[in-house]
Amino acid sequence: MPNTLQPSLAQKPQLKALPPLSLYIHFPWCEKKCPYCDFNSHQIKSEGDGKRTQGFDEARYIRALITDLETEIPRTWGRQVHSIFIGGGTPSLLSPEGMNELLSAIRARVNLEPDCEITMEANPGSVETEKFAAFAKSGINRVSLGIQSFQDAQLKALGRIHNGAEAKKAIEIALKHFKLVNLDLMYGLPNQSLEAAKADIDTALSFKTPHLSFYNLTLEPNTYFANFPPKLPTEDEIDAIFEQNLTLLKEAGYRRYEVSAYAKKDQECKHNLNYWRFGDYIGIGAGAHGKISFPDKITRQVRERHPETYMQSIENTGHALIESKEISTKDLPFEFMLNALRLTDGVETNTFSERTGLPLHVISNNLDEASKKGLLDTNPSRLRPTEQGLRYLNNLQELFL
């Protein structure tokens, strides 16, 4: 595809104001590596009789995280953090004491917004009433539960360590301690029927959580499923499941605001909205990525991926960066659109210039082409995908390469 970007992309970006800033913390351990998972997660070790041991040095990792955060403070000095997301892996494996130590250290070093959204990912198998009460007391105010399915056979096929009853119990516990609860579910599962998919949706909706995420199971490279693929529904069957999901969610009062995210009114995830609107985020922890803007440039950072290498690097050199580079001007339009076009409402047109520091006319040809193909709304005040654009999102995004 020919590059249709305008010659003025030779100029440097000029940001009049810096975007909102978030903090992402990566916890790289989990009890079992799922066969579909391509995230940076490492299975903790168990004793010979199958009994789980902790398998990671919590105190050492938290020390590394705090040092890692301190290296970013000079690059983000004086900026307020609007949201925190603790992802993994399974962050709920942290002890309440460890979580409290981590969040206390963060508060002592950065300026948090008064109503800062602080999300923790959790797997149903690691949910305990007393532990969740302590997490809430330490400052966690939003939990994202990796349910995936409520059906035992499907959970087994996905390599999950919990069953359907434990999934339901975990949601009940989470709702007792947190007002904001998200359920992650998958569709297009091995041998999944339309009826089975509906049963999962109906069960999820019965809990009336304010936010739901639905992902189509895909066979990612370098995963067990990629090498030993299960029998998945056909493309037509997956489309039918998706359309069914969409109808059921809409009828239950959920609005699809992003490709895979649905929320009740005003319950969207603030942290993820910042990603999709091309905001900034500090990324700390093994394998974490970050994006930091300056008045004349936008940079990305990547940390050491393996937990042991990450901690050793922090201890020996004071940082764990393996890459820190400026996003080239010619790549900025694609990086912006890659995120913004995931939102069903898109973004206001002026957001492009505000977040990239580039004039809108550098992508005028691309916008015209996307509109002519019916992938982009013709409303000049918004950069918004059409229904067709959401369905063929990859094709739409590629127009800005």
Side-chain angles (χ1 to χ4, degrees):
M1 179 184 296
N3 188 346
T4 56
L5 296 174
Q6 304 299 307
S8 53
L9 277 175
Q11 70 185 62
K12 292 276 289 182
Q14 297 294 324
L15 276 72
K16 295 180 180 179
L18 300 180
L21 179 67
S22 294
L23 170 63
Y24 175 76
I25 304 165
H26 191 74
F27 181 84
W29 290 281
C30 55
E31 292 189 79
K32 182 182 179 183
K33 182 77 171 178
C34 296
Y36 58 83
C37 179
D38 68 337
F39 295 138
N40 183 29
S41 59
H42 303 261
Q43 185 168 319
I44 57 178
K45 297 178 181 179
S46 299
E47 296 174 359
D49 61 359
K51 182 179 179 182
R52 180 173 66 82
T53 59
Q54 184 159 326
F56 61 92
D57 189 333
E58 177 177 281
R60 184 186 178 204
Y61 191 69
I62 290 172
R63 286 196 302 272
L65 288 173
I66 295 168
T67 302
D68 198 358
L69 176 62
E70 290 173 343
T71 68
E72 288 299 318
I73 290 175
R75 286 191 275 266
T76 57
W77 186 255
R79 297 177 64 182
Q80 191 172 56
V81 170
H82 296 264
S83 65
I84 299 173
F85 196 101
I86 309 170
T90 308
S92 50
L93 290 173
L94 279 167
S95 69
E97 295 77 16
M99 183 67 77
N100 188 61
E101 178 186 354
L102 175 60
L103 292 177
S104 296
I106 291 169
R107 290 189 190 94
R109 288 162 176 80
V110 299
N111 178 20
L112 296 187
E113 192 176 68
D115 59 346
C116 182
E117 177 190 87
I118 305 177
T119 302
M120 176 190 69
E121 289 187 329
N123 282 339
S126 63
V127 173
E128 302 166 13
T129 299
E130 291 183 3
K131 202 174 186 183
F132 265 43
F135 285 153
K137 189 175 181 180
S138 70
I140 302 293
N141 52 33
R142 185 176 183 275
V143 167
S144 181
L145 291 173
I147 302 295
Q148 316 313 356
S149 176
F150 291 96
Q151 298 169 50
D152 291 350
Q154 290 289 7
L155 291 167
K156 185 176 181 180
L158 292 172
R160 305 295 288 173
I161 63 170
H162 65 275
N163 58 35
E166 289 169 331
K168 295 172 186 176
K169 183 66 175 175
I171 299 170
E172 291 170 355
I173 292 172
L175 287 170
K176 285 181 180 178
H177 299 289
F178 305 97
K179 179 182 177 182
L180 301 176
V181 177
N182 169 64
L183 306 183
D184 273 346
L185 288 103
M186 286 183 167
Y187 66 94
L189 306 180
N191 301 302
Q192 188 179 41
S193 66
L194 195 63
E195 294 75 18
K198 184 177 185 299
D200 271 347
I201 289 280
D202 287 341
T203 303
L205 293 176
S206 71
F207 289 98
K208 297 180 172 60
T209 59
H211 195 285
L212 296 168
S213 299
F214 285 93
Y215 302 95
N216 183 14
L217 174 62
T218 54
L219 305 183
E220 301 291 350
N222 304 315
T223 63
Y224 180 87
F225 272 3
N227 296 320
F228 304 96
K231 179 176 172 52
L232 300 180
T234 66
E235 189 173 326
D236 286 344
E237 289 170 331
I238 291 173
D239 284 344
I241 291 172
F242 172 75
E243 292 298 334
Q244 174 184 253
N245 288 0
L246 204 59
T247 299
L248 292 170
L249 287 161
K250 187 175 181 180
E251 290 174 349
Y254 291 85
R255 189 178 78 89
R256 185 189 189 199
Y257 71 97
E258 189 268 344
V259 170
S260 302
Y262 304 76
K264 293 288 186 71
K265 183 176 173 55
D266 300 324
Q267 298 299 309
E268 295 86 356
C269 176
K270 294 179 182 178
H271 187 87
N272 287 339
L273 278 175
N274 193 40
Y275 285 156
W276 298 320
R277 290 170 177 162
F278 211 51
D280 282 354
Y281 51 96
I282 300 167
I284 61 173
H289 291 232
K291 170 187 171 285
I292 304 296
S293 298
F294 299 87
D296 61 345
K297 63 182 178 180
I298 299 172
T299 63
R300 287 200 182 278
Q301 301 89 29
V302 183
R303 264 76 176 161
E304 290 281 1
R305 183 176 177 84
H306 194 278
E308 180 60 32
T309 308
Y310 167 80
M311 290 186 287
Q312 286 182 0
S313 181
I314 292 281
E315 291 160 356
N316 295 334
T317 69
H319 72 86
L321 285 176
I322 57 173
E323 185 177 296
S324 181
K325 67 177 184 179
E326 182 178 343
I327 304 174
S328 68
T329 307
K330 68 180 180 64
D331 288 336
L332 276 173
F334 174 69
E335 291 228 11
F336 177 88
M337 290 299 191
L338 185 67
N339 290 280
L341 293 177
R342 291 182 62 90
L343 294 167
T344 59
D345 288 342
V347 295
E348 292 183 1
T349 303
N350 59 11
T351 307
F352 176 82
S353 295
E354 289 175 357
R355 299 293 162 87
T356 65
L358 301 174
L360 185 66
H361 68 73
V362 302
I363 57 169
S364 58
N365 291 349
N366 312 71
L367 295 174
D368 289 343
E369 185 178 359
S371 296
K372 287 176 182 177
K373 291 185 174 182
L375 301 176
L376 195 69
D377 196 308
T378 56
N379 182 350
S381 68
R382 296 199 74 82
L383 301 173
R384 176 168 51 199
T386 60
E387 286 295 325
Q388 187 178 0
L390 283 173
R391 182 175 289 274
Y392 300 103
L393 185 59
N394 289 342
N395 301 74
L396 174 56
Q397 292 166 331
E398 285 171 0
L399 293 176
F400 297 90
L401 272 172

